[in-house]
Amino acid sequence: MTKSHEITAGFVPLLDSALLVVAKEKGFAESQDINLTLARERSWASIRDRLAVGHFEVAHILAPMPIACNLGLTAPAQEMVVPMALGLGGNAVTVSQALWQMMAACGAKDDLDARTNGAALRQVIVGKGPKLRFGVVHPYSGHNYELRYWLSASGIDPDHDIEILVLPPPDMGDALRAGLIDGYCAGEPWNTFGVLERDAHLVTVKASIWRSSPEKVLGVNRKWSERHPEALSALLRALYLASLWCGDRSNHDELVEMLSRSTYINRPTDWLRPALSGVLHIGEGATAEIKDFFVPNAKAATFPWRSHALWFYTQMVRWGHIEHTRDHQQIAGSTYRPDLYREALKSLNVALPSANSKVEGALRSETPVGSTGALTLGPDGFFDGSLFDPDQVDAYIAGQKRR
């Protein structure tokens, strides 16, 4: 009889914890001989710390955080590897009704277009006295780096023209209503909560700022991964099977009910359904349909692209979090481990990318790849039309410094 693998995974109650929840609740973990225990945490700092002291073997974690840990930017921290992403997209930028009205007067539209609404926000900031304040969930988060990228590419200096504060996602809607912040970048369901319960307004989404980009990943204690390769491979297979289930729209009603339970997100189903359907509440009773707002499986959504890791690294350099050196770049790039992903999924015979990296922004439309065309990637890239070539990191960093 096969001995089951005991694995404890930490998670923060957000929609993109779905793969871990489904792996446990629908039996995918059990089918791979895993006894999966899920432990809910309120903050990303707690997730990081409990990984560091061995309370968890793996965790649902912010995509840049394992890189920051490996670079020594946050302590305490064990070295981590990222053998899998937990989906693409899922974030949005939400502002107060007062700020939205000022942006609308400057040309902002309800289509959530990053370029149009970024230009409108710049006009508001140019003509406004006190600095606007925006919340993000952690300094080393996709939220922070994507918000900064959007602002900078819109002509707004995020270090001088506004203030950026760190707040737990559940506190953001209340902070917005109290006037402590003017906007925030967060994952779901907290943008939907802001719109439905706190008179907020969506202005743009991650899927517009950087299309087909990762938000949360599976962070794994490196030493544990090296001691238990079979257990890790089994978990990756379970999570991949869970991603297929999550990607099937016919399962979404059950998924929403599952995630809403008190042991998981513990929020109303009406707050969770919009992100899965892609039909988002944007404010004042209006909705907008966003293709690929949250992608759990399609388009290699769970593949740990090293180009994603290196882009996050360039942003750490850009905003003064780390000095750019060859060693630092190597550490960042090697944090994401497509080799572990491929080895684990070999027995499932799924279509996988043949490369470890890609030029971010090169795919302008959905593109079949590989000899069979069984895998479709894209569109990907940034709202301002720029490209990120992971083989040209020095040039990319130098170019950003001039912007």
Side-chain angles (χ1 to χ4, degrees):
M1 182 176 179
T2 303
K3 182 181 178 182
S4 64
H5 306 291
E6 300 286 335
I7 298 177
T8 299
F11 75 99
V12 170
L14 294 161
L15 179 90
D16 49 29
S17 66
L19 271 61
L20 282 164
V21 173
V22 167
K24 178 177 177 63
E25 292 290 338
K26 296 300 294 181
F28 297 116
E30 185 179 7
S31 75
Q32 299 296 319
D33 296 315
I34 297 169
N35 182 16
L36 181 61
T37 300
L38 300 184
R40 189 172 69 176
E41 295 293 325
R42 177 175 168 81
S43 74
W44 297 112
S46 177
I47 289 280
R48 175 203 63 204
D49 294 350
R50 294 194 67 187
L51 264 173
V53 299
H55 291 174
F56 307 145
E57 287 77 41
V58 306
H60 162 242
I61 202 166
L62 298 161
M65 187 177 277
I67 302 168
C69 290
N70 289 354
L71 288 170
L73 296 178
T74 179
Q78 291 286 345
E79 287 188 30
M80 278 189 254
V81 295
V82 173
M84 188 174 196
L86 297 177
L88 302 174
N91 285 350
V93 180
T94 298
V95 300
S96 68
Q97 190 62 224
L99 178 52
W100 171 252
Q101 294 301 327
M102 289 188 285
M103 291 177 62
C106 294
K109 304 295 184 185
D110 275 341
D111 59 5
L112 306 181
D113 179 69
R115 185 183 296 274
T116 299
N117 291 353
L121 180 58
R122 182 180 182 278
Q123 289 188 53
V124 170
I125 288 173
V126 167
K128 186 175 174 63
K131 287 184 179 180
L132 297 174
R133 291 186 288 187
F134 280 77
V136 297
V137 305
H138 196 275
Y140 307 125
S141 66
H143 316 71
N144 186 29
Y145 295 129
E146 290 147 17
L147 177 67
R148 286 172 172 272
Y149 187 93
W150 174 57
L151 293 170
S152 180
S154 300
I156 301 163
D157 186 333
D159 284 329
H160 296 95
D161 295 338
I162 67 162
E163 294 181 30
I164 296 180
L165 311 177
V166 174
L167 294 170
D171 295 348
M172 288 185 172
D174 292 337
L176 191 76
R177 184 167 68 171
L180 301 176
I181 57 175
D182 301 285
Y184 58 85
C185 183
E188 282 293 276
W190 298 111
N191 302 286
T192 297
F193 164 74
V195 172
L196 295 181
E197 304 292 337
R198 297 296 181 263
D199 196 31
H201 204 290
L202 260 63
V203 293
T204 193
V205 295
K206 180 184 179 80
S208 180
I209 297 170
W210 180 17
R211 301 186 73 172
S212 297
S213 63
E215 176 45 41
K216 309 300 187 308
V217 297
L218 186 73
V220 181
N221 182 300
R222 182 182 64 79
K223 291 181 180 178
W224 179 85
S225 74
E226 292 170 352
R227 290 195 301 265
H228 303 279
E230 291 182 4
L232 177 58
S233 289
L235 178 63
L236 298 186
R237 287 191 292 273
L239 290 172
Y240 183 82
L241 294 171
S243 77
L244 288 172
W245 190 92
C246 290
D248 185 341
R249 286 184 174 270
S250 68
N251 295 327
H252 284 182
D253 284 344
E254 184 179 354
L255 177 56
V256 165
E257 185 279 325
M258 190 186 305
L259 292 173
S260 71
R261 295 174 192 167
S262 60
T263 47
Y264 298 124
I265 301 179
N266 194 28
R267 303 294 172 179
T269 56
D270 288 348
W271 296 8
L272 299 168
R273 189 169 284 107
L276 291 174
S277 69
V279 180
L280 305 178
H281 297 284
I282 58 175
E284 301 173 291
T287 60
E289 185 170 2
I290 300 297
K291 182 175 174 59
D292 296 340
F293 176 77
F294 173 62
V295 183
N297 176 265
K299 303 181 180 181
T302 56
F303 188 78
W305 292 99
R306 284 188 167 161
S307 46
H308 290 166
L310 287 171
W311 187 82
F312 286 128
Y313 166 72
T314 68
Q315 302 310 292
M316 293 176 183
V317 173
R318 181 180 189 181
W319 304 113
H321 293 162
I322 192 77
E323 180 186 1
H324 176 42
T325 69
R326 192 60 52 199
D327 285 346
H328 289 163
Q329 180 180 328
Q330 193 279 329
I331 290 169
S334 62
T335 298
Y336 281 30
R337 295 289 301 276
D339 57 315
L340 297 177
Y341 181 91
R342 287 196 186 91
E343 181 62 28
L345 269 59
K346 189 184 301 182
S347 64
L348 298 182
N349 296 317
V350 299
L352 301 175
S354 58
N356 293 334
S357 296
K358 58 188 175 71
V359 177
E360 299 296 326
L363 298 177
R364 305 295 182 179
S365 61
E366 293 189 2
T367 305
V369 298
S371 57
T372 65
L375 178 65
T376 297
L377 300 178
D380 63 11
F382 306 93
F383 80 98
D384 60 350
S386 66
L387 300 176
F388 170 60
D389 185 342
D391 292 329
Q392 301 293 329
V393 168
D394 292 351
Y396 187 78
I397 290 172
Q400 288 193 318
K401 286 180 179 178
R402 292 194 295 268
R403 295 172 69 174

